[in-house]
Amino acid sequence: MKRLLVIDDEPGHRLMVRAVMEDSGWSVEEAGSGEEGLELLAQDRVNVVLLDMRMPGMDGQETLARIQDMYPGLPVVMLTAFGTVGSAVVAMKKGAFDYLTKPADNEELTAVLEKAWDFGRLMEENENLRRRLSDDDPTAPIVGASQAMCRVRDFIRQAGPSEATILIMGESGTGKELVAQALHDASNRAAQPLVKVNCAALPGHLLESELFGYMKGAFTGAVRDKPGRFQLARGGTLFLDEIGELPLELQSKLLRALQERVVEPLGAVRPVPVDVRIIAATNRDLKRAVEAGEFREDLFFRLNVLEVVSPPLRDRLEDLPTLAGRLLERLCRKNKKGIRSVSPEFLDALMRYAWPGNVRELENVLERSLILSRSDTLGPESLPSQVLTDRPERWQDRMVRPERSERFDRPERFDRLDRSDRPDMAGAPRADAGWPGEGDAPMAGWSGGGGVPGAYPGSLDDAERDALLRALEVHGGHRERTADALGISRRTLQYKLKKFGLIRRGM
């Protein structure tokens, strides 16, 4: 069903729009202010927003800017009085889809909103297609060349196209939502929505209505039908995050939805069929929760058709430099601040820390350092005290790293990669020079695998070139496996090898 959100401070006009659009088969939500409209958008997925220009408090221009920032691609049609048409034109230049003058003509209202819905659907399909074609690999956003992350990517490629229910296990901050997105993008449902529900964010009575929806009159305040997330995800994927926090009384309803592919909205007289694929995630040990009577065993088995573990950062520390580089690039754009390099001491401190908050904590630490740094080179003085003082050597032994034989026993074809004609690479470390944590000074002369600008003194290109060399050595010079591990296409790898002069001339 097409869903419209009307943000207008005039109740009479909202009522008129509701009557017209519900007669045309739309579901309509109402908000009396910009602030209320943003709250509704955070709770429900809509296809089009009809937004009044002049409202007390947050006006239409400011609300439009907030919507575009949080929900890019969501079409917004502006409502304006005759005397403020100029402001509506300005809003269109800033990204609004179209505008209507009050009071809106019924036929024109319907026609414009239908066009906005078509436009929004086209934008969503284009974005889904772009994601699927990006580097020809739905796992491209997943960063890391470690064995643990290679296993995750292999799982996504194998399990993604299936219809099986998948359970993602992992600690908080390890990127379970990113894995769920990649699984959806790799599936045959990628052109349809991925709807996300955090089972820990709402109390049980609200979570039930969010999941299954309700009918008008089901309870006091239910003045209209509201579809649940199962219905909003029709044809696509429903991602149930923190499934271990789902109250016991809702687990039986979820089990029925999984088994029979139907849901019962509150107040409904008959079940509603649903067509969704379920991906669930948790940071709890569900087997122990089953033993403790906190989670239904039959639901666990229904969810755990396929299982994948999103590894903690401490178990893939060799990915940290590349991951930090990717995060820093994004954070520099977000904060409009640039850096030229990262000192070896800074990276050394990152590599020695245990990261109990995983990638989420790493991102927070990097953003803090970027903002507080007084130099264009990030140094250890910008790091929080717990990163500098915590030296959990016990984690070093848990690192996932290739065996030494993989680093020394390389096929002859790797000798085609040459540094002899690159004087600036003469001092660059080799992959067999040692891993972080080995020796008295594990970071000395080591760039950490690239991706972090200036992990050793030098430019971002230097770090990226060193990352390519290390990945190629780890994978024995095999380009297809190297590209797969780095999350790029073989064509992109070939381009970068030529860019950095890592292929002998004539080859």
Side-chain angles (χ1 to χ4, degrees):
M1 180 181 288
K2 302 170 187 176
R3 293 176 57 78
L4 171 68
L5 172 61
V6 183
I7 306 177
D8 189 344
D9 63 326
E10 296 183 24
H13 196 263
R14 297 200 307 266
L15 185 62
M16 183 275 293
V17 172
R18 169 183 289 280
V20 171
M21 298 314 298
E22 285 185 345
D23 284 346
S24 300
W26 286 62
S27 172
V28 181
E29 297 283 343
E30 297 179 28
S33 66
E35 294 86 350
E36 185 183 355
L38 293 174
E39 290 179 6
L40 286 175
L41 281 174
Q43 298 171 13
D44 287 328
R45 181 176 180 268
V46 301
N47 304 114
V48 182
V49 175
L50 186 61
L51 175 62
D52 191 17
M53 283 291 301
R54 303 186 68 176
M55 296 182 293
M58 185 184 296
D59 65 9
Q61 296 279 13
E62 184 180 354
T63 305
L64 173 65
R66 295 279 296 276
I67 291 174
Q68 290 182 321
D69 182 52
M70 294 186 291
Y71 310 100
L74 177 62
V76 179
V77 176
M78 306 302 295
L79 276 172
T80 181
F82 180 76
T84 58
V85 170
S87 298
V89 173
V90 171
M92 288 186 63
K93 291 180 179 179
K94 293 183 179 179
F97 175 77
D98 205 340
Y99 74 91
L100 293 165
T101 56
K102 285 185 174 182
D105 176 77
N106 293 355
E107 291 184 3
E108 184 183 14
L109 172 68
T110 304
V112 170
L113 293 181
E114 289 286 352
K115 287 181 182 178
W117 180 80
D118 287 334
F119 174 79
R121 184 180 61 175
L122 180 62
M123 292 291 289
E124 185 175 355
E125 289 176 353
N126 286 344
E127 174 62 20
N128 288 331
L129 182 61
R130 184 198 64 77
R131 249 195 330 254
R132 294 193 72 181
L133 296 179
S134 175
D135 232 358
D136 299 321
D137 186 359
T139 70
I142 297 178
V143 179
S146 64
Q147 292 179 12
M149 294 312 295
C150 286
R151 285 194 293 268
V152 171
R153 275 194 291 267
D154 288 342
F155 176 88
I156 291 169
R157 295 192 187 99
Q158 287 185 283
S162 75
E163 287 292 306
T165 302
I166 296 176
L167 180 62
I168 306 171
M169 310 285 285
E171 299 175 5
S172 295
T174 55
K176 297 187 291 295
E177 186 172 331
L178 193 63
V179 174
Q181 181 69 63
L183 285 165
H184 173 72
D185 291 342
S187 74
N188 297 323
R189 297 173 176 265
Q192 301 303 318
L194 169 65
V195 177
K196 304 171 185 177
V197 182
N198 189 327
C199 299
L202 294 171
H205 65 285
L206 292 180
L207 183 58
E208 181 176 5
S209 64
E210 282 297 312
L211 286 173
F212 307 116
Y214 56 79
M215 308 301 292
K216 180 179 178 180
F219 52 83
T220 303
V223 296
R224 66 188 74 94
D225 294 348
K226 177 182 177 181
R229 299 300 175 95
F230 270 91
Q231 292 154 284
L232 294 177
R234 183 177 59 185
T237 303
L238 180 62
F239 176 48
L240 302 175
D241 199 8
E242 303 298 350
I243 190 67
E245 307 304 320
L246 189 70
L248 273 171
E249 60 269 19
L250 290 184
Q251 292 178 22
S252 59
K253 287 196 171 187
L254 177 59
L255 179 63
R256 186 187 179 198
L258 295 178
Q259 288 177 333
E260 302 180 18
R261 298 292 173 178
V262 296
V263 296
E264 290 189 22
L266 292 173
V269 297
R270 62 177 60 90
V272 178
V274 291
D275 172 26
V276 297
R277 185 206 193 164
I278 299 295
I279 298 176
T282 182
N283 60 8
R284 295 185 63 189
D285 186 335
L286 291 188
K287 292 181 180 178
R288 290 188 179 181
V290 168
E291 294 172 358
E294 298 171 352
F295 202 84
R296 291 181 62 115
E297 185 177 35
D298 48 5
L299 178 58
F300 171 71
F301 289 130
R302 180 65 63 173
L303 291 170
N304 196 33
V305 177
L306 293 173
E307 178 184 308
V308 62
V309 176
S310 185
L313 185 55
R314 63 178 175 273
D315 284 352
R316 59 183 189 102
L317 282 178
E318 60 266 47
D319 291 334
L320 188 146
T322 307
L323 183 60
R326 186 77 64 88
L327 291 172
L328 277 173
E329 289 176 1
R330 189 172 74 218
L331 292 170
C332 284
R333 290 193 297 269
K334 172 186 173 183
N335 293 283
K336 296 180 175 58
K337 184 174 180 180
I339 58 169
R340 295 186 60 185
S341 62
V342 172
S343 73
E345 294 79 12
F346 182 91
L347 189 57
D348 186 17
L350 298 185
M351 294 296 294
R352 289 176 175 269
Y353 184 54
W355 299 109
N358 294 294
V359 179
R360 186 178 296 123
E361 183 184 10
L362 173 62
E363 182 174 10
N364 291 341
V365 166
L366 291 175
E367 185 165 22
R368 176 190 188 277
S369 296
L370 178 66
I371 293 171
L372 297 182
S373 177
R374 299 178 180 274
S375 167
D376 58 4
T377 297
L378 292 185
E381 67 279 356
S382 64
L383 290 169
S385 59
Q386 74 270 17
V387 175
L388 295 172
T389 57
D390 189 12
R391 290 290 182 268
E393 278 73 15
R394 64 185 180 276
W395 297 115
Q396 299 292 343
D397 295 334
R398 298 185 60 181
M399 287 176 57
V400 179
R401 38 180 123 156
E403 298 296 330
R404 286 188 175 273
S405 59
E406 295 183 37
R407 287 184 261 151
F408 286 96
D409 301 332
R410 302 188 302 276
E412 288 301 317
R413 66 173 177 270
F414 185 70
D415 292 335
R416 295 171 64 185
L417 294 167
D418 186 26
R419 306 185 193 201
S420 61
D421 62 343
R422 298 299 299 266
D424 57 330
M425 286 297 293
R430 301 178 59 86
D432 52 8
W435 287 83
E438 296 179 350
D440 295 332
M443 292 304 300
W446 183 75
S447 77
V452 177
Y456 59 89
S459 68
L460 179 60
D461 280 350
D462 294 334
E464 186 175 7
R465 184 167 59 237
D466 188 42
L468 291 173
L469 284 167
R470 291 183 61 83
L472 281 161
E473 291 203 37
V474 166
H475 295 282
H478 193 288
R479 296 186 188 182
E480 187 171 345
R481 287 201 296 267
T482 300
D484 181 64
L486 292 173
I488 60 177
S489 68
R490 187 173 179 180
R491 180 182 300 177
T492 301
L493 176 64
Q494 184 75 6
Y495 164 77
K496 290 182 180 294
L497 292 176
K498 289 181 180 179
K499 171 185 175 183
F500 296 129
L502 298 178
I503 302 178
R504 289 184 187 276
R505 295 176 179 85
M507 293 188 178

